[in-house]
Amino acid sequence: MGQPLADFFSDNEKTAFANRNIELGTVVKIYDRIANKEKWHLIVGVSNDEIMMASVRINSELNLNCIPEAFRRYHYFITKKDNAFLEHDSYVDCSKLIIRKKKDFVNCVAKNSMALKGKMEENKLNHIRATIADCRVIEPKFKKQFCLQ
């Protein structure tokens, strides 16, 4: 595979592209400090001032050894067939919000356009957001901050 076309754009153009594409429903492959590696994140909430964003991880497998049975219902199954950006069927972990600055996502995509994986269909995104709203382990203040109640 050749060099991405975005590599030939100016830094300003790369940043403008990233700013236009980082929004609710966007999927980005970004370094995850907790996982200590790059993970796919789905943006599920944006603060009113648009400075902070909430995301959830997309995992290729469900590790039943690490997830108590009571929390398995908060792992939303998505298929490659319905989500062209996926490499295989996966699970969205709706039990943990990861909160970061919007500029972290923008910088990630501006630096590497291939980090932008795609966008979740609105209907599926709404189901995921409803699953997050239902999750009792996510603090209500974060649900409120990111309009996830």
Side-chain angles (χ1 to χ4, degrees), residues 44-134:
V44 294
V46 181
S47 63
N48 286 334
D49 60 10
E50 297 188 10
I51 292 174
M52 302 301 289
M53 297 187 125
S55 67
V56 289
R57 289 183 193 93
I58 298 176
N59 297 307
S60 56
E61 295 177 4
L62 199 58
N63 187 342
L64 299 177
N65 296 323
C66 297
I67 303 166
E69 192 167 333
F71 294 107
R72 292 180 191 162
R73 68 186 189 126
Y74 300 118
H75 288 75
Y76 190 87
F77 182 69
I78 54 175
T79 64
K80 176 178 175 39
K81 180 181 139 230
D82 294 333
N83 298 280
F85 57 85
L86 287 177
E87 295 173 359
H88 35 72
D89 294 350
S90 299
Y91 295 86
V92 179
D93 182 355
C94 300
S95 68
K96 296 179 192 86
L97 286 182
I98 295 95
I99 299 170
R100 309 177 76 123
K101 292 180 180 175
K102 179 180 179 179
K103 72 177 185 176
D104 293 344
F105 289 105
V106 169
N107 291 342
C108 176
V109 172
K111 200 180 308 181
N112 175 13
S113 65
M114 301 303 287
L116 181 65
K117 295 300 180 183
K119 187 154 167 104
M120 177 72 61
E121 177 188 303
E122 187 175 356
N123 188 39
K124 286 182 183 53
L125 178 63
N126 289 339
H127 283 287
I128 289 167
R129 287 171 48 88
T131 303
I132 294 166
D134 184 54

Side-chain angles (χ1 to χ4, degrees), residues 23-45:
E23 61 186 5
L24 204 59
T26 300
V27 177
V28 177
K29 184 176 181 180
I30 190 168
Y31 183 77
D32 186 311
R33 292 178 292 267
I34 295 168
N36 205 24
K37 62 181 178 178
E38 286 189 324
K39 297 286 286 181
W40 289 33
H41 282 244
L42 168 65
I43 298 171
V44 294

